[in-house]
Amino acid sequence: MSGVRDGDRTGVWRRTRDARRHTMAALASAVVAAGAATGVMTAAGDDGRTTARPDTSASPVLQPLPAVPTRSVSPSASVTPSPSPKPSRTARRTPAPATSSERPAPSAARPTALYRHPQSQVLDWVGAHRDDPRRPLIESRIAAVWFPAYNPGAVTGQVRSVTAAAEAVGRTPVLVPYAIPDRDCGGASEGGAPGLDAYDAWMEDFAAGLGGGPVIVILEPDAIALSDCLTAGRRADRFASLARAGRTLHAANPRARVYFDGGHSGWHAAAKQAALLREAGAAADGDGVFTNVSNFHSTADETAYARGVLAALGGPPGLGAVVDTSRNGNGAPAAGEWCDPSGRALGRAPTTDTGLTGIDAYLWVKLPGESDGCKGSAGSFTPDYAYELASG
């Protein structure tokens, strides 16, 4: 079901409006109840690829992006900056790996109240459409905050605006840095930093905004699973940079939980993905893996797959997995269907209390309602799509 179009005032709409509102009210109650159970007022093809990555040619303020940073965390520049001279590798400030005494014991297994930033594409739309019959259901969401722009000099303050607000209310934010060079292998969401030296410096700026409270970092979706477009040498350089990112984030905030890209159950075999993760430092410099970001595979399939990846990764103890459940309520669509496929639904509500050993959290990393590029422009918030997922 596509939902009711904005501005539709036809007789058919009027005749069905009351029935739709009744249905949506019941659905909204269920979603809000699920959010309350997590301690949160929620906002939130298979061709082997995750989808709906941001178009970085324009500012998130002007052009909507997937799980876009809020206005307070969005860069003000309207275009991606031109590459600046690459800093010398010897001049990089990347810290040494954190020692065991610097990092507390893993704590993600304990239930954590997740944080919803008070502004987002969803809430912008909600504020402007208070009378829309889809609003009650669409309003009930929780999602991660993405940082898709290469914006040296600005990202520290953007990250800190989120983490400081989360600390103030005793909740845990979910942050998604997404600026790796050669992002999306030149696909629809290409972009990122101009080079790995620049990326390393950007990541140091990102980490400087983490503060001292608990935080979950979903490190660079697709950066590992979708790395086969790179030569062996460039892939090794990327993986070394991801390992440095893990060390940088932990050194800046020992309470950060950093998860590396695990792809999803319909992509690489668990053993292959684990081998890639090991090369990228996930075992030594991360706290585990994330799977299913922007995809649709069932929670049962993903938890089994994630456990397989962790087992093949071989430790150390305490590594866990995060599963994106934002659009997997009805499982995966037919093979080859990845762009806003019909018949999908919201999955399990976000929580860090999964009841499963090794599965640290179910999160809505991909913001429900943001298009893969078929129901709207890639990354744009589409009310009809949000309603379809919420009522599916």
Side-chain angles (χ1 to χ4, degrees), residues 4 15 25 61 105 161 177 201 205 209 212-213 222 277 331 351 378:
V4 182
R15 288 194 296 272
V61 174
S161 73
D205 291 343
D222 289 347
L277 284 158
T351 182

Side-chain angles (χ1 to χ4, degrees), residues 50 53-54 146-150 175-184 189 191-193 196 199-200 202-203 206 217-227 238-239 241-243 245-246 249 258-263 267 273 277 290 293 365:
T50 54
R53 299 296 181 222
W146 289 60
F147 297 83
Y150 172 67
L175 310 180
V176 188
Y178 188 60
I180 198 77
D182 300 310
R183 186 174 63 199
D184 199 32
S189 299
L196 289 175
Y199 176 74
D200 290 349
W202 181 87
M203 182 56 69
F206 181 97
V217 179
I218 305 299
L219 181 62
E220 296 294 343
D222 289 347
I224 297 174
L226 186 63
S227 61
R238 172 185 283 191
F239 287 177
S241 186
L242 289 171
L249 293 163
V258 182
Y259 295 89
F260 282 60
D261 173 33
W267 203 339
Q273 188 64 30
L277 284 158
F290 61 82
V293 168
V365 181

Side-chain angles (χ1 to χ4, degrees), residues 290-375:
F290 61 82
T291 76
N292 209 43
V293 168
S294 297
N295 221 282
F296 308 91
H297 294 275
S298 72
T299 301
D301 286 347
E302 288 303 300
T303 54
Y305 171 73
R307 284 171 156 175
V309 170
L310 292 173
L313 198 54
L319 294 183
V322 166
V323 175
D324 185 351
T325 59
S326 61
R327 305 193 294 180
N328 74 343
N330 289 338
E337 295 183 15
W338 60 269
C339 188
D340 302 332
S342 298
R344 302 310 97 202
L346 300 177
R348 300 185 65 165
T351 182
T352 59
D353 187 12
T354 68
L356 298 177
T357 302
I359 306 300
D360 290 347
Y362 302 130
L363 299 177
W364 288 3
V365 181
K366 167 71 173 179
L367 184 62
E370 290 190 346
S371 175
D372 297 325
C374 292
K375 295 184 183 297

Side-chain angles (χ1 to χ4, degrees), residues 2 12 15 62 98 119 186 262 264 273 316 373:
S2 62
V12 173
R15 288 194 296 272
L62 302 176
Q119 293 174 307
H264 59 69
Q273 188 64 30

Side-chain angles (χ1 to χ4, degrees), residues 23-72:
T23 300
M24 287 189 289
L27 287 165
S29 298
V31 175
V32 172
T38 69
V40 187
M41 275 306 294
T42 59
D46 205 351
D47 62 351
R49 293 176 54 175
T50 54
T51 55
R53 299 296 181 222
D55 173 5
T56 57
S57 63
S59 165
V61 174
L62 302 176
Q63 297 291 334
L65 303 174
V68 67
T70 70
R71 272 196 276 267
S72 61

